Amino acid sequence: MTTVRHQRAAEPTAPVNGDTGQFRRRLLDGLVTSITEDGYRNTTVADIVRRARTSRRTFYQHFSDKEACFVALLTDANAEMIRQISAAVDEKAPWTSQVRQAVEAWIASAESRPAITLSWIRDVPSLGTAARRLQRDTMEAFITMIQTLCDTAEWRTVRVSPVPRQLAIMLLGGLRELTASTVEDGGRISDNTELAVHACTALLGPTPRIPRR
């Protein structure tokens, strides 16, 4: 018991009046580094703390466990990805140019941290309730983004109806799987740009007329 107490006392701790946002950021950055080097499944709280150069006590002041830290990281990352894609699209540009702008922004964001992108796609589905809730909420946020981007004067000259939720899910599912499989195979996500633009243009383009029987 004496040894344990001495070890805990020796751990660095956050100042009482410290900047909690700074420590939270350091812990999230520590998780990013650990996922990049070792993968999420091989990462422990001790790894995060070591890379963040802080203490377990500080970690548990911010997160209940490793999964909670992961959910916070992905929540921030996905919100930033949506922001970047939305900002990249010029709603006054031709609709085909808008598709390219959105796809290129998706790829740039995913390629900036491929290990985190891969972990988001592959690890989250097998985790607990909080991670599954994150997965659903994130999908809904991306669906809303697509529907919003495609609900402008330029798009209304192309589509006779708003983008259906099911179509947005198909588009997102394809992009996610293409991204994940490319990273797993050691490829560059940007090498798929033209293919992704072509597929998204075909999915989001003029609504086909269904022949009557």
Side-chain angles (χ1 to χ4, degrees):
M1 291 295 291
T2 303
T3 303
V4 172
R5 286 185 182 139
H6 283 317
Q7 287 175 342
R8 288 180 178 174
E11 288 183 340
T13 59
V16 174
N17 297 318
D19 183 353
T20 58
Q22 177 187 3
F23 282 98
R24 180 182 184 276
R25 183 71 262 164
R26 281 168 56 179
L27 289 164
L28 294 179
D29 289 343
L31 177 56
V32 168
T33 302
S34 192
I35 291 174
T36 301
E37 295 180 1
D38 302 322
Y40 174 76
R41 295 184 180 282
N42 294 326
T43 292
T44 64
V45 170
D47 294 326
I48 299 170
V49 166
R50 174 171 55 83
R51 289 182 165 102
R53 296 187 177 183
T54 184
S55 67
R56 283 180 177 271
R57 176 182 174 186
T58 300
F59 178 90
Y60 288 113
Q61 286 175 341
H62 290 82
F63 306 109
S64 59
D65 53 24
K66 181 182 80 168
E67 184 175 311
C69 186
F70 188 44
V71 168
L73 171 64
L74 293 182
T75 298
D76 290 354
N78 289 328
E80 177 61 17
M81 189 178 197
I82 289 173
R83 188 198 68 77
Q84 290 175 1
I85 294 171
S86 298
V89 175
D90 178 4
E91 66 176 40
K92 296 182 180 179
W95 71 273
T96 51
S97 297
Q98 292 186 42
V99 172
R100 178 173 292 277
Q101 290 165 351
V103 170
E104 288 179 347
W106 166 286
I107 290 174
S109 180
E111 205 161 49
S112 67
R113 294 198 292 186
I116 304 305
T117 301
L118 180 61
S119 191
W120 165 44
I121 298 169
R122 293 295 192 239
D123 291 324
V124 169
S126 63
L127 299 181
T129 302
R132 289 194 294 273
R133 187 181 305 114
L134 166 70
Q135 186 179 26
R136 291 194 301 271
D137 291 347
T138 298
M139 179 61 75
E140 291 302 323
F142 274 96
I143 290 170
T144 298
M145 179 196 71
I146 291 173
Q147 292 175 327
T148 300
L149 290 175
C150 295
D151 186 23
T152 63
E154 175 65 24
W155 278 95
R156 283 191 285 273
T157 65
V158 177
R159 298 188 57 85
V160 298
S161 59
V163 175
R165 184 174 181 277
Q166 296 88 339
L167 182 62
I169 292 173
M170 290 176 63
L171 186 152
L172 290 166
L175 281 176
R176 282 165 52 89
E177 183 58 33
L178 179 63
T179 298
S181 60
T182 299
V183 174
E184 288 171 332
D185 293 341
R188 294 191 310 172
I189 305 171
S190 56
D191 288 344
N192 296 314
T193 299
E194 295 307 317
L195 175 62
V197 169
H198 177 76
C200 291
T201 300
L203 281 172
L204 295 173
T207 307
R209 296 185 181 276
I210 301 175
R212 295 180 179 178
R213 295 186 177 181

